[in-house]
Amino acid sequence: MTNILIQVIFLLTNSSFAADQILPEASFGEDGIVFKYAPSSFVMKSRFRLQARATYEDYDSKNTTNEDVVDFSIRRMRLRFDGTAFDPRFLYKVQLSFAPRDTDFENSEFPNFLRDAIVGWAYSDSGTLWFGQTKLPGNRQRVISSSNQEMVDRSLVNSIFTLDRDIGVQLHQRLGEERPLWVKLALSNGEGRGRANENTGVSTTARVEWLPFGNFAQNGDYFEGDLMHERDLKLSMGIVYNNNPKTNRLGGQLGPLFDGTQVRSMDTWMADLLIKHRGWAWSTEFAKRTVDNPFVIIDGSTKAIFKGSGYTTQLSYIFPNHWSPVVRYTRTTPVSAILSEDNTTTQYIVGLTKYIDRHRIKILGDVTLEEKTNSFTHLDQQNWIVRVQMEFGI
């Protein structure tokens, strides 16, 4: 009955197949709802997911005028379609987002529903050329899907330094099989998703990652937590460099726009490490950004591009009953020149995750102690953050 219903839906939305009276094969499993149309090698995997979150933030009343926050929200709600068309070597991926924070309305001034729209050509078993809008090959936490995280959200280091999505061309090439070395290169607008290049600047990104002990089980280097309980020690090391000349956004590819014709050139370096073994998973990341003149005008006020460095590390263990405690330490340190606008921030986070259906269905919770200090403004502040999240998807 389920297969018949899926086929009817597919026919109603694909008139060309209906006209030919040819039913595609349909199934439901690990890849979501999968349609296959053999005559044209057409495959479409359809998935959705949502994250419902509750947050409580307790601000240090001695050092801030901010009020405490209690918030219930839909953090993410996304639809994804990907597969092959006409030939197994021709790939595509489309992802739409509908939650308010996902649409980037505050910065783009329009509801930007489109997250990914990309086509690819797998020119060999070890290489693919991509064209369109998608994630740049940046830090590991960013390139791992938000659905595959083991804590409620990514770290503060990712929030500040991430390259996120952009429009351009990418080359992903694997060298070797037993101990693969991946080289991922990108040329892109540098303006972020949904925005045309407004000047002659072109952003360049390079990521190199090496797996010296071989591949992780089921591509485990691209989801957090050792769900597979790797029998042998697995290790992945990555380095990233991004140059974004003439950007007019506070975070390069992200953030609010500068006033007028201001532009800045940013350089970002990143390094990450991931180890998994017998239920244990340890990951760590370092990032650094430089910019010649970090001060810009946004909506008539002086703001600073974050110039400095950040470090985050987290450790987890997954028990046989699929409960997983997680701890994370994060610190971001601005250079002294921007202390009038940015603080040194340290976060200590303890979390607990219950996997119901791996990363597809899970419940996550964490408690954060956040410390903000600033020698310039004499700030010494402690805040508490409590979050609970339900992830549900197919």
Side-chain angles (χ1 to χ4, degrees):
M1 183 64 185
T2 302
N3 280 350
I4 294 175
L5 179 61
I6 292 172
Q7 291 170 351
V8 170
I9 294 173
F10 188 84
L11 286 173
L12 291 175
T13 56
N14 292 270
S15 58
S16 62
F17 292 151
D20 294 336
Q21 298 295 308
I22 299 176
L23 288 175
E25 298 179 12
S27 61
F28 177 77
E30 279 293 311
D31 293 325
I33 300 173
V34 181
F35 301 97
K36 294 182 179 180
Y37 185 68
S40 65
S41 298
F42 177 87
V43 177
M44 183 178 75
K45 304 171 186 177
S46 176
R47 285 174 274 182
F48 81 88
R49 62 185 175 93
L50 65 87
Q51 294 175 346
R53 182 181 299 181
T55 304
Y56 172 66
E57 299 181 25
D58 180 14
Y59 289 101
D60 186 342
S61 59
K62 297 178 181 179
N63 290 279
T64 182
T65 58
N66 293 336
E67 295 184 357
D68 294 347
V69 173
V70 177
D71 180 51
F72 295 93
S73 63
I74 301 299
R75 176 60 183 88
R76 295 176 176 91
M77 168 58 201
R78 298 181 182 175
L79 294 175
R80 173 176 170 172
F81 308 91
D82 63 276
T84 61
F86 306 109
D87 187 295
R89 296 171 295 177
F90 296 142
L91 317 172
Y92 67 90
K93 175 184 175 183
V94 176
Q95 185 171 208
L96 307 174
S97 57
F98 301 95
R101 280 188 60 183
D102 259 0
T103 61
D104 197 35
F105 180 81
E106 292 182 359
N107 298 318
S108 61
E109 298 181 354
F110 66 92
N112 195 350
F113 299 115
L114 185 63
R115 298 194 71 82
D116 296 290
I118 191 168
V119 293
W121 172 44
Y123 56 84
S124 71
D125 292 339
S126 58
T128 305
L129 185 67
W130 295 96
F131 182 73
Q133 175 176 292
T134 192
K135 290 180 181 179
L136 292 173
N139 59 304
R140 187 180 302 276
Q141 269 204 346
R142 169 54 63 185
V143 294
I144 290 179
S145 169
S146 57
S147 64
N148 291 332
Q149 307 291 323
E150 59 184 352
M151 295 193 109
V152 173
D153 220 333
R154 299 182 176 99
S155 73
L156 182 64
V157 169
N158 179 84
S159 299
I160 293 175
F161 295 96
T162 184
L163 306 179
D164 199 65
R165 289 169 167 82
D166 209 355
I167 305 172
V169 60
Q170 297 191 24
L171 174 68
H172 295 185
Q173 178 66 51
R174 186 189 75 234
L175 304 174
E177 295 186 5
E178 293 186 4
R179 298 176 177 84
L181 176 74
W182 280 96
V183 178
K184 302 178 180 181
L185 308 173
L187 290 176
S188 61
N189 284 341
E191 307 293 340
R193 61 190 179 101
R195 299 189 68 244
N197 196 0
E198 299 180 359
N199 50 63
T200 58
V202 175
S203 177
T204 56
T205 309
R207 175 178 173 86
V208 178
E209 58 188 70
W210 184 41
L211 286 68
F213 303 143
N215 290 306
F216 289 64
Q218 298 188 26
N219 297 317
D221 49 331
Y222 278 83
F223 60 79
E224 292 190 343
D226 186 14
L227 287 167
M228 301 297 105
H229 275 242
E230 297 279 2
R231 292 190 175 186
D232 299 318
L233 181 69
K234 296 298 180 181
L235 167 65
S236 179
M237 300 178 289
I239 55 173
V240 177
Y241 171 71
N242 172 260
N243 171 252
N244 194 354
K246 298 184 179 181
T247 183
N248 59 358
R249 303 187 73 173
L250 195 63
Q253 292 84 1
L254 292 169
L257 296 169
F258 307 156
D259 291 356
T261 59
Q262 303 171 89
V263 293
R264 295 292 186 271
S265 293
M266 302 181 191
D267 289 292
T268 304
W269 293 264
M270 301 175 179
D272 54 67
L273 176 75
L274 172 66
I275 295 175
K276 291 188 178 184
H277 190 219
R278 298 186 181 275
W280 290 95
W282 176 54
S283 61
T284 189
E285 295 187 0
F286 172 80
K288 182 178 181 180
R289 177 186 292 145
T290 61
V291 56
D292 290 340
N293 178 10
F295 293 98
V296 295
I297 305 299
I298 298 176
D299 295 333
S301 300
T302 299
K303 302 291 183 182
I305 298 168
F306 192 96
K307 180 179 180 180
S309 60
Y311 172 78
T312 186
T313 186
Q314 69 187 52
L315 178 69
S316 68
Y317 179 76
I318 298 180
F319 289 97
N321 61 2
H322 307 299
W323 284 95
S324 177
V326 192
V327 293
R328 175 191 291 164
Y329 170 83
T330 301
R331 184 178 178 88
T332 58
T333 307
V335 297
S336 58
I338 66 168
L339 286 179
S340 60
E341 298 293 327
D342 279 296
N343 308 306
T344 296
T345 303
T346 305
Q347 291 183 338
Y348 308 88
I349 307 178
V350 177
L352 184 65
T353 298
K354 170 61 176 178
Y355 296 97
I356 299 171
D357 182 13
R358 299 188 185 182
H359 279 291
R360 297 294 171 85
I361 303 176
K362 60 189 175 185
I363 301 173
L364 311 94
D366 59 40
V367 178
T368 300
L369 170 60
E370 179 181 76
E371 298 178 344
K372 291 180 177 289
T373 59
N374 191 311
S375 58
F376 182 84
T377 62
H378 306 293
L379 177 69
D380 186 9
Q381 176 183 331
Q382 285 190 341
N383 306 316
W384 288 92
I385 304 170
V386 180
R387 304 178 296 185
V388 178
Q389 181 168 286
M390 174 68 184
E391 171 107 24
F392 183 86
I394 63 169

